[in-house]
Amino acid sequence: MFRAVFLQKSDTAVLSEVRELSEDSLPEGDVLVAVEYSTINYKDGLAITGRFPVVRQWPMVPGIDLAGTVESSANPRFKPGDKVLINGYGLGDAHWGGLAQKARVKSEWLIPVPSPFSTLNAMAIGTAGYTAMLCVLALEQHGVRPDRGPILVTGAAGGVGTIAIAVLAKLGFDVTASTGRLEEAAFLRQLGANQVIDRATLSSAGEMLGEEKWAGAIDTVGSATLANVCAATKYRGTVTACGLAQGLDFPTSVLPFILRNITLCGIDSVMAPYELRTEAWQRLARDLDVKKLDAVTQVLGLDQAIATASDVLSGKVRGRAVIDVNR
């Protein structure tokens, strides 16, 4: 038996509880992992609260991330005792996820935890940090360098935002952080932001084409914020879009694209190719200061996961909410 967050769907709501489950109930897979840590991401918050229909199969164990130790494996690539992690691949919405003490998964989803990270470090980074690095890789691929000008990070106090700031600062970028929590300004500067602005300056409907401010951006918010970011991006700049905290809409025009030749890159972390995933994790091992992870991470027990899901959706969680599933 093992403990897990367990979701069931009624006619009117999602029912969330922590309960004991039998190992026999685990879905198919060729590797059994003794999970050590998982996380609460925005998508997990939607799944646990039922606020948006992200879960595709019922019942479900949520958790789009996990890190732990291989307990048994039918694939010779992995052996008992190996430290491994997973991000995405339908974990937590189509396949039972990481908010449990056990997970049976497909071996092709597993990535060895890179040195110098522990399994706790891996989940302090998690999908949020891995997504942040995918954004950085896309900016670099499109020629955005520190000498091109400032980089904007929206939703800066959240999981993607905090890791993005830390990585960009280490790479030498001049980072502007946009947040609705200006009381976190000192914290964001500690991570590496040179300037902190109020998200209200970006979140309302604005001009279709504004003053050129940023060489690139990492946007986690969507909606009017993303539209305003594109309108203020410099000639041949690049904006990466990886979130929808403000909304699904995108009220903009073609002007920034055809007059300033900007690029808008969609960032998908769920089904990204394995080679890109491993590159992102190798770069995180090189370009993320492990010491900064403590400042962006809170570690909670499994019984706290359900309440934390609502806090994540409300924007009350600074940085990363890591769940110790054995606590």
Side-chain angles (χ1 to χ4, degrees):
M1 302 295 289
F2 64 96
R3 297 177 73 235
V5 176
F6 192 70
L7 308 183
Q8 299 179 85
K9 187 178 183 182
S10 73
D11 292 338
T12 58
V14 172
L15 307 177
S16 307
E17 62 176 333
V18 176
R19 66 153 64 172
E20 286 202 345
L21 300 171
S22 166
E23 195 171 297
D24 293 338
S25 65
L26 288 167
E28 293 184 358
D30 56 347
V31 179
L32 180 65
V33 178
V35 182
E36 295 166 18
Y37 298 97
S38 186
T39 60
I40 301 290
N41 296 278
Y42 196 85
K43 188 174 181 180
D44 299 315
L46 295 174
I48 291 170
T49 63
R51 196 173 298 182
F52 193 81
V54 296
V55 175
R56 292 179 281 165
Q57 293 187 18
W58 300 94
M60 180 56 60
V61 172
I64 66 173
D65 286 325
L66 68 80
T69 303
V70 172
E71 197 165 287
S72 63
S73 174
N75 187 319
R77 286 182 56 227
F78 298 97
K79 62 183 185 301
D82 286 349
K83 299 295 185 180
V84 293
L85 65 89
I86 303 177
N87 309 114
Y89 283 123
L91 209 67
D93 64 71
H95 188 98
W96 283 16
L99 288 169
Q101 294 171 320
K102 300 279 186 179
R104 186 177 287 125
V105 298
K106 296 181 179 181
S107 55
E108 56 263 36
W109 298 347
L110 293 170
I111 292 176
V113 174
S115 177
F117 298 142
S118 65
T119 52
L120 175 56
N121 293 151
M123 288 297 95
I125 297 166
T127 285
Y130 148 66
T131 301
M133 182 53 80
L134 292 178
C135 292
V136 172
L137 292 174
L139 291 175
E140 292 178 342
Q141 181 183 3
H142 287 85
V144 179
R145 304 179 304 272
D147 61 1
R148 292 278 303 276
I151 299 293
L152 175 69
V153 177
T154 67
V160 175
T162 51
I163 301 295
I165 291 168
V167 170
L168 289 167
K170 186 173 180 181
L171 292 173
F173 285 94
D174 177 1
V175 182
T176 297
S178 167
T179 181
R181 292 179 271 174
L182 292 178
E183 67 275 12
E184 301 285 12
F187 164 68
L188 296 172
R189 289 192 175 92
Q190 177 187 347
L191 291 177
N194 289 327
Q195 183 180 7
V196 179
I197 63 174
D198 191 333
R199 72 179 179 196
T201 62
L202 296 169
S203 59
S204 299
E207 298 178 352
M208 293 183 180
L209 199 66
E211 177 188 353
E212 295 181 65
K213 296 180 180 179
W214 300 294
I218 295 176
D219 177 64
T220 69
V221 178
S223 192
T225 296
L226 178 57
N228 287 322
V229 170
C230 289
T233 296
K234 292 183 176 183
Y235 184 75
R236 295 188 67 81
T238 298
V239 177
T240 59
C242 64
L244 44 75
Q246 186 179 357
L248 299 171
D249 60 321
F250 183 37
T252 189
S253 76
V254 299
L255 291 181
F257 304 96
I258 63 175
L259 295 184
R260 290 188 181 153
N261 197 17
I262 76 163
T263 299
L264 177 60
C265 293
I267 303 297
D268 164 55
S269 63
V270 176
M271 300 306 297
Y274 191 84
E275 295 76 14
L276 181 58
R277 292 168 180 269
T278 55
E279 180 185 4
W281 277 98
Q282 289 164 3
R283 284 289 303 273
L284 284 161
R286 190 188 84 185
D287 295 327
L288 176 62
D289 185 348
V290 177
K291 295 178 183 177
K292 288 187 177 180
L293 284 176
D294 290 340
V296 304
T297 305
Q298 55 177 310
V299 182
L300 307 166
L302 190 62
D303 289 326
Q304 296 170 279
I306 293 172
T308 304
S310 295
D311 291 340
V312 167
L313 295 184
S314 301
K316 297 178 181 178
V317 175
R318 171 206 274 187
R320 303 287 292 132
V322 174
I323 302 298
D324 179 344
V325 299
N326 298 301
R327 189 172 109 186

